[in-house]
Amino acid sequence: MESKATNCDGIIAKAPPAPSPLRMSKFTTAKMRILVTGGAGFIGSHLVDRLMESGTNEVIVADNFFSGSKDNLKRWIGHPNFELIRHDVTETLLVEVDQIYHLACPASPIFYKYNPVKTIKTNVMGTLNMLGLAKRVGARILLTSTSEVYGDPLEHPQTEEYWGNVNPIGVRSCYDEGKRVAETLMFDYHRQHGIEIRVARIFNTYGPRMNIDDGRVVSNFIAQALRGEVMTVQAPGTQTRSFCYVSDMVDGLFRLMNGDNTGPINLGNPGEFTMLELAESVKKLIEPSATYRIVENTPDDPRKRKPDISKAIKLLGWQPKITLQEGLPLMAADFRERLKNFKSSEQPLEA
Ligand SMILES: NC(=O)c1ccc[n+]([C@@H]2O[C@H](COP(=O)([O-])OP(=O)(O)OC[C@H]3O[C@@H](n4cnc5c(N)ncnc54)[C@H](O)[C@@H]3O)[C@@H](O)[C@H]2O)c1
Ligand SMILES: O=c1ccn([C@@H]2O[C@H](COP(=O)(O)OP(=O)(O)O[C@H]3OC[C@@H](O)[C@H](O)[C@H]3O)[C@@H](O)[C@H]2O)c(=O)[nH]1
């Protein structure tokens, strides 16, 4: 008999197929099989740690290694509950899973601007493919959207109700507009097909395991300070960001996935800093001899950004625990260790 499911708008949708009976067999110890796209990246690999450490999940990572690395997952490679697939999400993927964390997308501006057409394909076709998979196997799917959907915001702090101020034809649009379309696709699949969706709007996140030459501000400043280079504060330096430590972010994503709310929900640390203040903090907490200079900025850089996290507090019982003062030294310890082994041949991409 065909069962039916009703979504939050009261729309009747065809229920997804039940998992195969073998999934319930006594040979399977895992309660849940989870796909993490982009799981070889910075946030994705920390999320994989969290899912694997529970001991009750099978985790499949699909990643094309554009900005991620097998090295981030080396502790799990060979584990019977873990699989790593080299896969580009712009192509279809068929795996039987219960949950999909869809992170695959370059996140650092120098990486997403490197091949903008590919970035928008990843956001649009990649999200369509993952929604198609969710529909086919009846999985719940979580999209890691971004604070960049608010563009250069005219409201401050940003609540989820704010529709944003985004340049549709600028150099950041492949990412910003790509994520906005990805959100649209999530909600259309939810309304039209009854797919269980979760949408997180992530604000700037930092921590151990970021690419040393990732290009984002926290990794740049720490790497520059530790290498004895001058920190590059992009003009004017008074622009603000709110920085969330990665373990807090992973906790928020996990709660959102396993809670009852579709979102979109802002996840981020509301502590707000100018880039000049961030450079001063790196100097104070990590390398007192560090210096900085003002350099040219890139187009459409948002002038301020700070999440209103009232919804996350109320609906997920979540708020960040680690302050920037606590998180920066933790990240610096990881960078110090990795810089010892860093080969000079690994050159950063040009902005
Ligand atoms: N870190 C942040 O501050 C932040 C803020 C907002 C949103 N996000 C979102 O969180 C997610 C993870 O970000 P991150 O900081 O870990 O970035 P990251 O670049 O470290 O990770 C992205 C991962 O996706 C993979 N990937 C990229 N394109 C792919 C494709 N076409 N097919 C398969 N894999 C692909 C990369 O190889 C990488 O492993 C992204 O969706 C990003 O947009 C991150
Ligand atoms: O070396 C640098 C790099 C960056 N910056 C400044 O630092 C600020 C933050 O820049 P980042 O490149 O770290 O990140 P952005 O906030 O611009 O974008 C990020 O936003 C959230 C996510 O979706 C993505 O991770 C990314 O798009 C910007 O104002 C930038 O001008 C510097 O001052 N110096």
Side-chain angles (χ1 to χ4, degrees):
M1 197 184 66
E2 208 173 70
S3 59
K4 303 273 181 189
T6 308
N7 72 12
C8 66
D9 297 329
I11 296 168
I12 305 293
K14 195 167 173 241
S20 88
L22 273 179
R23 294 274 299 284
M24 308 299 165
S25 84
K26 62 185 174 184
F27 302 109
T28 307
T29 51
K31 290 202 184 113
M32 189 94 79
R33 192 179 293 160
I34 304 172
L35 172 66
V36 183
T37 75
F42 160 55
I43 300 179
S45 62
H46 285 277
L47 176 65
V48 168
D49 288 350
R50 164 84 185 253
L51 299 173
M52 285 297 294
E53 279 161 5
S54 83
T56 59
N57 299 314
E58 277 181 37
V59 176
I60 302 171
V61 166
D63 200 299
N64 70 353
F65 305 121
F66 174 59
S67 54
S69 149
K70 280 184 199 167
D71 206 44
N72 290 337
L73 297 166
K74 59 178 182 248
R75 68 183 277 216
W76 303 117
I77 290 171
H79 191 291
N81 283 356
F82 180 76
E83 281 171 73
L84 175 58
I85 309 171
R86 181 186 288 270
H87 177 80
D88 194 304
V89 292
T90 58
E91 306 290 334
T92 55
L93 176 69
L94 296 178
V95 283
E96 204 173 291
V97 290
D98 306 290
Q99 292 186 339
I100 302 169
Y101 286 91
H102 179 39
L103 282 74
C105 178
S108 165
I110 60 169
F111 280 86
Y112 69 62
K113 291 188 222 169
Y114 176 74
N115 184 345
V117 173
K118 181 63 194 276
T119 299
I120 200 149
K121 270 170 107 174
T122 296
N123 275 312
V124 178
M125 292 165 63
T127 305
L128 265 174
N129 284 334
M130 288 309 119
L131 281 161
L133 175 65
K135 180 169 174 246
R136 180 173 174 150
V137 300
R140 181 178 291 182
I141 176 168
L142 181 150
L143 170 75
T144 50
S145 184
T146 169
S147 52
E148 297 254 327
V149 298
Y150 301 122
D152 188 11
L154 305 176
E155 283 184 16
H156 194 74
Q158 293 80 52
T159 65
E160 292 84 350
E161 282 68 42
Y162 179 50
W163 287 356
N165 177 39
V166 177
N167 176 358
I169 57 165
V171 291
R172 295 175 86 100
S173 313
C174 57
Y175 184 76
D176 301 9
E177 295 287 22
K179 289 283 186 181
R180 286 166 69 95
V181 175
E183 286 198 14
T184 308
L185 286 168
M186 293 286 285
F187 278 88
D188 281 341
Y189 264 73
H190 173 63
R191 283 185 288 258
Q192 196 171 333
H193 299 299
I195 304 300
E196 285 196 286
I197 60 156
R198 304 287 181 266
V199 175
R201 289 189 181 149
I202 299 181
F203 284 65
N204 298 57
T205 300
Y206 71 100
R209 232 182 255 165
M210 281 185 97
N211 277 329
I212 285 174
D213 285 315
D214 180 272
R216 282 177 278 188
V217 68
V218 185
S219 45
N220 270 8
F221 285 3
I222 291 181
Q224 287 162 341
L226 294 178
R227 283 168 165 159
E229 295 167 5
V230 179
M231 290 184 283
T232 50
V233 176
Q234 292 176 350
T238 49
Q239 69 272 34
T240 66
R241 292 294 187 274
S242 304
F243 299 104
C244 185
Y245 193 70
V246 66
S247 57
D248 284 329
M249 182 54 58
V250 165
D251 187 41
L253 292 173
F254 184 81
R255 283 173 190 245
L256 176 61
M257 174 63 104
N258 296 296
D260 295 327
N261 295 281
T262 58
I265 293 196
N266 288 340
L267 294 178
N269 190 321
E272 186 185 6
F273 300 88
T274 67
M275 295 313 105
L276 285 166
E277 286 169 339
L278 178 67
E280 286 295 344
S281 298
V282 170
K283 185 175 164 64
K284 185 169 150 217
L285 297 166
I286 294 166
E287 184 47 66
S289 67
T291 54
Y292 60 79
R293 69 187 159 94
I294 303 286
V295 300
E296 202 182 332
N297 205 337
T298 52
D300 293 339
D301 184 35
R303 283 164 289 183
K304 54 189 178 210
R305 190 185 284 161
K306 170 186 161 114
D308 179 319
I309 59 163
S310 315
K311 267 199 177 161
I313 293 172
K314 186 165 165 236
L315 300 175
L316 307 180
W318 175 87
Q319 57 184 318
K321 299 190 182 89
I322 313 255
T323 63
L324 189 64
Q325 285 69 25
E326 292 164 332
L328 286 178
L330 297 173
M331 181 162 165
D334 169 68
F335 267 45
R336 262 193 203 98
E337 200 51 42
R338 287 156 65 209
L339 277 168
K340 276 193 221 156
N341 309 318
F342 194 73
K343 293 186 221 80
S344 56
S345 60
E346 291 178 46
Q347 293 300 321
L349 291 168
E350 290 300 320

